[in-house]
Amino acid sequence: MPLPVFALMLCVFCVGTAEIAIAGILPDVADGLDVSVPSAGLLVTGYAVGVALGGPVITLLTLRVPRKALMVGLMAVFLAGNVGSFLAGNYATLMGARIVASLAHGTFVAMAGLVAARMSPPDRQATAIAQVSLGFNLANILGSPLGTLVGQRWGWRATFGALAITAVASIVLVLLAVPGRIGAGDGGGGTGDGAATGAPGGSVRDEVRVMCRPAVLASMAVTVLAQGAVFTTSTYLAPLMRDVSGFPGGAMSVLLAVFGIGAVLGNLVGGRLADRDPTRGAVLCLTTLVAVLALFWAVAPYRWPAVAVLVLFGAAGFSIIPVLQSRVLALAASAPLLALSANVSAFNLGNGFGAWLGGAVMDQGWGARSVTSAGCAAAAVALLVIAPMWARQRGLPTRPAEGAGQEGRPLVQAGDDDGAAPAPAAGSSGEPTAPAGAGAAGQRESARCAGE
């Protein structure tokens, strides 16, 4: 892995760990701040809401900011939020610090993959994006268990202290390894201010118009419901595995690592499904998630069956990410930056919704086991929303998309304004269509989704 791409992956690992590590130390945070576990779970909701609301706004406001300066600035905001969490003396201060840290999440994640692609040869751009995304998987396998272990051994504040130290290392690595001018546009070969400054330089109007397409918005609604189903259970894995399955608190770091291994496998499977057909892949993944959560409810009181299903839950829960991201990318291919950032926000809004839903059913006195059935219900609703979309697409003839047969072209063209979305090609309805450089799956999806 090239050092600049590793620097971005480390940042994503840090951001991803900050979001999920608190799940393993919720009882410790609750005890330390004298609040209930469901109230502590709202710290996940606060972070998610910060991402959901801040991501698209910050993306639009920073379209003309040089990318390296923007990424360093966002990581500095993230660092400040984690320092504030480390120093927080009460629940309200901790909630505020978590929200500050969350403001960097959406825009940075959307930007990191694009920058990694711009720094890579045309035939390695998809690989670079996958390597950056590996940070999220490592956050589940290593970051969350280590954060839980640190918090249980040295107190929950130590987890945020470790995140702050990792953020400092990430910022230094980005400053040293990522070039100030990224890609051909940054090298002065392009035209316009975006090429000269390393700013994205896209059109706000095109980005907003594409994001507001009904099919894109419907896909984001599915993202909220599906991710909410995952976080309804995953936020409360600690009380579920401790109080229902009977594991000691010290086993949580190992159990979260088991969950993370399943998440990596699920990401791989979801990516393969998305290559073929994102909508069909989403239907298959959501169907699996419903079945796995129902099974989790059934076996939760039994230790080792619960561990086996925990792996399946990680796989099913994380398989939805690539298929839902690919569907939005296919639908918004002509101006994808805001749509992708908004879909990151939708994932995090789902995180907050799931954390709230899990806490709500526990507050009703139904116990930690109920989070699996509540998650199953949310996944079933998501499936009911997207299944008709798939059925409708199957009934539509697939017309060739513009540029079919050119799926070997790079994901980001070297001649654009440093990664700005290309001008949309208008069809007879005036709506943007898939660009010529879109991958085969994206071209098929864009063509078939035109009727949604």
Side-chain angles (χ1 to χ4, degrees):
M1 181 185 301
L3 185 58
V5 176
F6 175 79
L8 297 177
M9 187 273 290
L10 182 61
C11 291
V12 171
F13 165 77
C14 196
V15 170
T17 300
E19 181 173 17
I20 62 177
I22 194 171
I25 56 172
L26 279 181
D28 304 275
V29 173
D31 291 342
L33 297 178
D34 196 24
V35 297
S36 67
V37 171
S39 294
L42 291 177
L43 293 168
V44 179
T45 302
Y47 188 100
V49 170
V51 176
L53 298 180
V57 173
I58 292 174
T59 297
L60 287 177
L61 292 177
T62 58
L63 281 175
R64 308 298 295 183
V65 177
R67 288 177 175 173
K68 182 173 180 178
L70 176 59
M71 291 189 294
V72 171
L74 290 171
M75 287 304 296
V77 171
F78 175 79
L79 170 61
N82 281 281
V83 171
S85 297
F86 175 79
L87 298 174
N90 53 58
Y91 178 79
T93 303
L94 180 57
M95 176 66 79
R98 289 277 293 170
I99 293 174
V100 169
S102 73
L103 296 178
H105 187 121
T107 304
F108 187 92
V109 171
M111 190 68 69
L114 183 59
V115 168
R118 291 286 294 171
M119 293 189 297
S120 303
D123 60 345
R124 299 286 295 174
Q125 289 180 348
T127 298
I129 294 173
Q131 289 171 338
V132 169
S133 300
L134 180 64
F136 283 122
N137 297 120
L138 293 178
N140 281 276
I141 295 177
L142 297 176
S144 182
L146 287 175
T148 299
L149 183 63
V150 168
Q152 290 176 343
R153 178 161 298 186
W154 291 292
W156 61 267
R157 295 179 190 277
T159 299
F160 294 106
L163 283 169
I165 293 172
T166 308
V168 171
S170 301
I171 292 172
V172 172
L173 200 54
V174 168
L175 287 171
L176 295 177
V178 177
R181 294 177 178 267
I182 303 161
D186 286 322
T191 60
D193 294 338
T197 65
S203 165
V204 172
R205 180 180 178 181
D206 288 343
E207 295 280 348
V208 173
R209 179 177 61 175
V210 169
M211 188 196 71
C212 290
R213 290 186 62 188
V216 175
L217 295 176
S219 294
M220 292 180 186
V222 172
T223 297
V224 173
L225 289 167
Q227 189 73 352
V230 176
F231 262 66
T232 298
T233 299
S234 64
T235 301
Y236 299 97
L237 279 178
L240 175 64
M241 302 304 289
R242 182 187 63 191
D243 300 338
V244 180
S245 301
F247 285 95
M252 275 310 301
S253 58
V254 176
L255 292 172
L256 289 174
V258 169
F259 175 74
I261 291 171
V264 172
L265 297 176
N267 239 338
L268 295 174
V269 173
R272 295 293 294 273
L273 292 173
D275 283 338
R276 298 176 181 273
D277 185 334
T279 306
R280 182 179 63 182
V283 170
L284 292 174
C285 292
L286 283 170
T287 301
T288 303
L289 181 60
V290 170
V292 167
L293 284 171
L295 182 61
F296 207 168
W297 180 90
V299 305
Y302 309 100
R303 277 194 179 187
W304 301 116
V307 172
V309 177
L310 183 62
V311 178
L312 297 178
F313 173 51
F318 275 75
S319 68
I320 67 173
I321 296 177
V323 293
L324 294 177
Q325 279 283 70
S326 296
R327 176 171 165 79
V328 169
L329 179 59
L331 293 171
S334 61
L337 185 58
L338 180 60
L340 288 175
S341 178
N343 203 45
V344 171
S345 296
F347 274 110
N348 285 272
L349 188 60
N351 296 348
F353 165 67
W356 168 83
L357 179 60
V361 297
M362 289 177 65
D363 275 341
Q364 293 299 314
W366 295 339
R369 189 181 182 186
S370 64
V371 300
T372 57
S373 55
C376 182
V381 174
L383 181 59
L384 289 175
V385 172
I386 199 169
M389 300 179 189
W390 182 45
R392 188 160 59 248
Q393 288 177 30
R394 293 182 67 189
L396 292 173
T398 303
R399 62 182 182 273
E402 179 185 355
Q406 301 183 45
E407 56 269 19
R409 292 178 59 177
L411 299 175
V412 181
Q413 297 297 329
D416 64 14
D417 285 338
D418 195 23
S428 59
S429 64
E431 284 293 330
T433 59
Q443 293 164 355
R444 291 194 300 269
E445 190 75 0
S446 184
R448 289 193 298 179
C449 291
E452 291 188 21

